[in-house]
Amino acid sequence: METVAVAAALGFLLLTAAGGSAGDEAREAAAVRELLVRLLGPGPAAAFSVSVERALAAESGLDTYRLSGGGVGARVRVLGSTGVAAAAGLHRYLRDFCGCHVAWSGSQLRLPQPLPVVPEELTEATPNRYRYYQNVCTQSYSFVWWDWARWEQEIDWMALNGINLALAWSGQEAIWQQVYLALGLTQTEIDEYFTGPAFLAWGRMGNLHTWSGPLPPSWHLKQVYLQHRILDRMRSFGMIPVLPAFAGHVPKALTRVFPQANITQMGRWGHFNCSYSCSFLLAPEDPLFPMVGSLFLRELTKEFGTDHVYGADTFNEMQPPSSEPSYLAAATAAVYQAMIAVDPDAVWLLQGWLFQHQPEFWGPTQVGAVLGAVPRGRLLVLDLFAESQPVYVRTASFQGQPFIWCMLHNFGGNHGLFGALESVNRGPTAARLFPNSTMVGTGMTPEGIGQNEVVYALMAELGWRKGPVADLGAWVTGFAARRYGVSHGDAEAAWRLLLRSVYNCSGEGCSGHNRSPLVRRPSLQMVTDVWYNRSDVLEAWRLLLSATPTLASSPAFCYDLVDVTRQAVQELVSLYYEEVRTAYLNKELVPLMRAGGVLAYELLPALDKVLASDSHFLLGSWLEQARVAAVSETEARFYEQNSRYQLTLWGPEGNILDYANKQLAGLVADYYAPRWRLFTETLVESLVQGIPFQQHQFDKNAFQLEQTFVLSTKRYPSQPQGDTVDLAKKLFLKYYPRWVAGAL
């Protein structure tokens, strides 16, 4: 009972600070009705009545929805305490009563006629104040090239999934440009400071500067316009947008204008040298700190308004200059004081990743110095990776500061079937029941989206559940039926196999970062161990293919067939790599040539063709997004190169090589496959000539291939080609029997 009281009190503090401008009831109801029309079309949407009444949540103060009506000639009535609550209630009706499914890869929205009756008036309140969404990195790995049409889809998805707190960080560089000019920097100095678009997330957190820039003037104009539309739509649903605030990082050029300023140069980050990292941090006691911080926030809120929640990360993956509690408290207090100088109602949203990423530095005293430097209830901490490495457990629930239990799940926007669904299912409830818990919400904080949709469907649902799903096997069976619009035994059996294998990672070692040999620069030391039985993946592949006569007309099914085929090929690549390595170490030339030849010249080209059959797996679409964001051909080439760098080298010298790997048609054919061909040929040459394999020399040669891809201007198809089912079957019939026979 004490735990609930603590969390409720903190939730109330945050509610009074951050909820004042949620928007009026009529506007929020209108926003949900407009969403309905976009989702279903005007005819079907007319069968629903949507209204918003704050009084519905008067008792708990928590988002609440009520469903009623339906049946012959009767409208379905959706009532919410906010627009977000009404949208979540609408989604609940579509999902649980109509068997519909809303997803990034495409929605299944076949409504039964007449619309099903809600047998008894259904009222549901969320157990916590917040359902949060986004990671600072998501802005670069997934959102960077989006136009308004794509943002509109995402905000609709957010509303339907009950998200009421989310980052809105577009356009901030335009405001910083104004601030820096006002402080006396030149345009050239500003241009030299900003990163390119694909790397802005790390510029915003102080990890990087300069790399892959500068930002064209048109970028600022378009991003400010986009930010206004994003904010207007988020606010229309009653969502709380989180705006950026000053964390202390400044351009080196500030030392020219203010030579007496107390500025410290930080250490290197991400294998970058100081040309692109080693950011400059303004000392908290320097008079410039409140000046810069308040000037930025004043200009930002003048342009965009405010909902009083701000994000700032001073020490993200960077060790502070001092471990002294007094320094850490002062650095933290300076950020907060700059916020409240402009907005007395400010609440600071802090990514708790710093405590998780460097636990050896962040001992109890250091953590306490940060958490204690902001008044209780005015610092909202994201326990960013709580499904695997929760920080609240070892910090006594963040020493009394409110926190949001977050599922990070994905790193770099990688493809690869992965999840820790059992941990995700039970984690929020465990955190809520933790002694003296200060948990005030749940969150989804992936670095990249557009993958493993089952994981996000579960997490979004848990934001409205008071306890875990009782039977995940039954839940995933229902997920498959809704996703495809029909129950099919083989498809549902395939999903249960995936649940017990790729989606059943457990322990602190679980990380949604794809390190498969397929997407890594080859070596003789590659790790092929996995936490699951590969036979489950290959059997799920077989079962999905057996369901094709019934389900092939479902776009979601075809997407999943591509994704599971891709995963099966990833498993086969690991197995063929093991044969390559074994043959080389045993000095067996013929087996080496056979296994290496199949991997590089048959398996990867076949995978590329399967990927090319679905619009979600096209390099051409990925690069076209970047090009379309430009206003000239020069800009288009610049944006495309930004995108290519992020997918591959990540820096001028492969500094964070393949961190953001994707399995896309075109990328497999022209980036991964050439590396594997080079590796196989180098090993063969080593055996034939009797000279040792030199990894260092291979890396140099591979880098030339990688750089050639990044600098290429080759255009790739942005429309799918080929028949998914036919291509997947050909691959299956060629390799599955070999695997069963143990004769790859």
Side-chain angles (χ1 to χ4, degrees):
M1 192 66 184
E2 185 179 358
T3 292
V4 175
V6 170
L10 287 169
F12 177 75
L13 280 173
L14 292 165
L15 178 66
T16 55
S21 57
D24 61 64
E25 297 168 352
R27 182 180 68 157
E28 292 173 24
V32 179
R33 286 192 287 270
E34 289 166 6
L35 182 160
L36 249 175
V37 172
R38 288 191 295 274
L39 189 69
L40 301 177
F48 293 82
S49 168
V50 177
S51 54
V52 171
E53 296 177 11
R54 295 284 186 268
L56 185 61
E59 185 175 336
S60 68
L62 299 171
D63 279 1
T64 305
Y65 60 75
R66 179 174 294 156
L67 302 175
S68 59
V72 178
R75 300 173 86 189
V76 175
R77 294 185 295 278
V78 180
L79 173 64
S81 59
T82 63
V84 166
L90 168 65
H91 187 207
R92 169 79 178 274
Y93 178 80
L94 293 173
R95 184 189 70 211
D96 292 356
F97 290 86
C98 300
C100 294
H101 180 70
V102 178
W104 288 312
S105 62
S107 299
Q108 188 281 112
L109 297 168
R110 290 196 293 274
L111 295 177
Q113 293 298 331
L115 288 176
V117 175
V118 181
E120 294 182 9
E121 193 172 73
L122 173 64
T123 302
E124 192 74 63
T126 179
N128 289 111
R129 169 74 178 99
Y130 295 112
R131 280 87 51 209
Y132 173 78
Y133 177 52
Q134 291 182 41
N135 182 308
V136 173
C137 299
T138 326
Q139 303 274 324
S140 288
Y141 283 134
S142 294
F143 303 165
V144 56
W145 310 117
W146 282 6
D147 58 10
W148 168 242
R150 182 59 186 88
W151 263 110
E152 183 174 54
Q153 292 174 17
E154 194 69 10
I155 297 170
D156 284 354
W157 179 91
M158 290 160 57
L160 289 164
N161 283 288
I163 304 300
N164 67 346
L165 182 68
L167 295 184
W169 279 25
S170 299
Q172 63 176 284
E173 285 72 28
I175 307 301
W176 274 119
Q177 181 170 261
Q178 295 174 25
V179 169
Y180 293 146
L181 287 170
L183 290 170
L185 273 68
T186 67
Q187 187 63 53
T188 299
E189 288 170 332
I190 296 168
D191 289 343
E192 288 174 352
Y193 177 64
F194 289 138
T195 69
F199 301 93
L200 283 173
W202 301 276
R204 293 165 178 174
M205 292 186 289
N207 305 119
L208 287 178
H209 57 82
T210 310
W211 164 240
S212 215
L215 294 173
S218 63
W219 175 265
H220 297 304
L221 292 170
K222 294 180 76 171
Q223 290 298 304
V224 167
Y225 166 78
L226 193 58
Q227 174 76 338
H228 277 291
R229 297 201 71 171
I230 291 167
L231 290 171
D232 182 66
R233 183 59 56 81
M234 287 177 67
R235 289 166 176 158
S236 76
F237 284 117
M239 294 177 190
I240 300 169
V242 180
L243 296 176
F246 178 55
H249 312 112
V250 294
K252 181 182 179 181
L254 202 67
T255 60
R256 177 189 62 77
V257 183
F258 300 97
Q260 303 305 313
N262 186 353
I263 295 176
T264 301
Q265 187 168 18
M266 305 286 280
R268 296 182 178 189
W269 177 85
H271 307 291
F272 281 87
N273 63 32
C274 289
S275 298
Y276 302 115
S277 67
C278 310
S279 63
F280 290 82
L281 187 66
L282 191 55
E285 69 275 11
D286 195 289
L288 265 180
F289 200 109
M291 180 196 301
V292 175
S294 59
L295 181 58
F296 171 70
L297 204 59
R298 191 171 291 112
E299 292 301 313
L300 184 82
T301 55
K302 184 169 72 175
E303 179 69 35
F304 297 124
T306 186
D307 296 83
H308 311 293
V309 184
Y310 305 96
D313 298 285
T314 305
F315 301 119
N316 177 71
E317 297 186 0
M318 294 186 294
Q319 187 160 309
S322 170
S323 62
E324 285 297 318
S326 58
Y327 169 78
L328 296 171
T332 305
V335 173
Y336 178 67
Q337 290 298 323
M339 291 181 192
I340 61 172
V342 176
D343 182 356
D345 294 327
V347 172
W348 179 0
L349 183 81
L350 174 71
Q351 291 193 128
W353 181 252
L354 75 167
F355 304 135
Q356 186 277 332
H357 186 257
Q358 291 181 302
E360 67 285 350
F361 177 91
W362 293 101
T365 304
Q366 287 70 33
V367 172
V370 169
L371 297 175
V374 179
R376 188 167 293 184
R378 290 303 185 95
L379 182 69
L380 178 54
V381 185
L382 300 177
D383 201 347
L384 211 71
F385 196 18
E387 82 273 26
S388 183
Q389 298 175 30
V391 176
Y392 78 87
V393 175
R394 60 179 176 85
T395 57
S397 206
F398 290 98
Q399 300 190 15
Q401 290 286 16
F403 76 94
I404 294 177
W405 190 100
C406 296
M407 177 194 77
L408 199 160
H409 179 257
N410 180 272
F411 291 84
N414 299 163
H415 292 125
L417 301 185
F418 167 80
L421 288 192
E422 189 58 47
S423 175
V424 168
N425 187 34
R426 304 206 171 272
T429 302
R432 203 175 289 125
L433 298 176
F434 188 73
N436 298 316
S437 176
T438 52
M439 173 183 166
V440 294
T442 54
M444 296 184 280
T445 55
E447 287 192 349
I449 64 168
Q451 35 68 34
N452 292 292
E453 293 176 316
V454 64
V455 177
Y456 299 89
L458 176 64
M459 188 65 233
E461 191 173 323
L462 291 171
W464 289 85
R465 281 181 169 269
K466 295 174 178 63
V469 171
D471 184 344
L472 278 179
W475 182 88
V476 83
T477 298
F479 170 85
R482 291 189 301 273
R483 188 164 170 83
Y484 306 144
V486 63
S487 294
H488 191 288
D490 286 345
E492 291 163 5
W495 274 100
R496 288 192 293 272
L497 283 173
L498 295 174
L499 173 65
R500 83 177 190 188
S501 55
V502 291
Y503 291 120
N504 192 34
C505 197
S506 61
E508 289 198 359
C510 284
S511 168
H513 193 196
N514 193 345
R515 293 181 171 87
S516 162
L518 193 162
V519 293
R520 310 292 283 187
R521 184 188 283 172
S523 78
L524 291 172
Q525 283 77 44
M526 303 182 90
V527 176
T528 58
D529 296 341
V530 292
W531 66 90
Y532 51 88
N533 190 333
R534 286 192 168 99
S535 63
D536 284 343
V537 174
L538 292 162
E539 179 62 10
W541 187 25
R542 185 191 70 78
L543 286 166
L544 282 184
L545 279 166
S546 70
T548 55
T550 304
L551 300 180
S553 61
S554 161
F557 174 80
C558 289
Y559 171 91
D560 290 342
L561 182 59
V562 171
D563 207 17
V564 173
T565 300
R566 179 207 51 71
Q567 186 71 26
V569 171
Q570 181 173 296
E571 310 300 346
L572 292 170
V573 166
S574 292
L575 297 176
Y576 275 109
Y577 162 71
E578 290 173 358
E579 291 197 10
V580 166
R581 180 171 58 188
T582 299
Y584 175 77
L585 294 176
N586 292 338
K587 296 182 169 54
E588 297 173 336
L589 183 59
V590 173
L592 167 62
M593 294 177 68
R594 188 193 66 80
V598 170
L599 193 166
Y601 292 92
E602 295 181 17
L603 191 55
L604 292 182
L607 170 61
D608 197 81
K609 288 182 179 178
V610 173
L611 296 170
S613 70
D614 190 284
S615 60
H616 300 90
F617 294 92
L618 301 179
L619 176 62
S621 297
W622 193 266
L623 299 181
E624 190 61 24
Q625 280 188 73
R627 295 184 63 85
V628 168
V631 298
S632 69
E633 179 58 26
T634 300
E635 231 177 67
R637 289 178 182 174
F638 168 61
Y639 289 171
E640 179 180 341
Q641 191 174 104
N642 253 246
S643 193
R644 285 175 183 254
Y645 261 117
Q646 189 201 86
L647 289 169
T648 56
L649 293 173
W650 220 104
E653 299 168 337
N655 307 62
I656 315 180
L657 181 66
D658 295 321
Y659 181 92
N661 63 76
K662 310 280 189 297
Q663 292 173 44
L664 302 170
L667 193 62
V668 170
D670 288 353
Y671 181 75
Y672 300 128
R675 283 200 308 205
W676 277 103
R677 289 196 294 269
L678 177 65
F679 183 65
T680 301
E681 291 160 7
T682 305
L683 292 181
V684 168
E685 183 179 339
S686 170
L687 286 189
V688 170
Q689 296 185 4
I691 56 174
F693 171 73
Q694 298 289 339
Q695 184 70 49
H696 179 69
Q697 184 57 49
F698 172 78
D699 289 345
K700 284 185 174 181
N701 296 338
F703 177 73
Q704 296 303 316
L705 287 177
E706 293 155 354
Q707 195 171 50
T708 297
F709 172 82
V710 168
L711 300 178
S712 171
T713 58
K714 178 179 176 179
R715 303 294 292 272
Y716 292 88
S718 55
Q719 296 297 320
Q721 300 173 343
D723 180 82
T724 294
V725 172
D726 182 54
L727 291 164
K729 274 185 177 175
K730 285 179 180 176
L731 239 171
F732 175 85
L733 292 172
K734 183 171 183 178
Y735 292 101
Y736 185 83
R738 297 185 192 180
W739 174 78
V740 170
L744 286 175

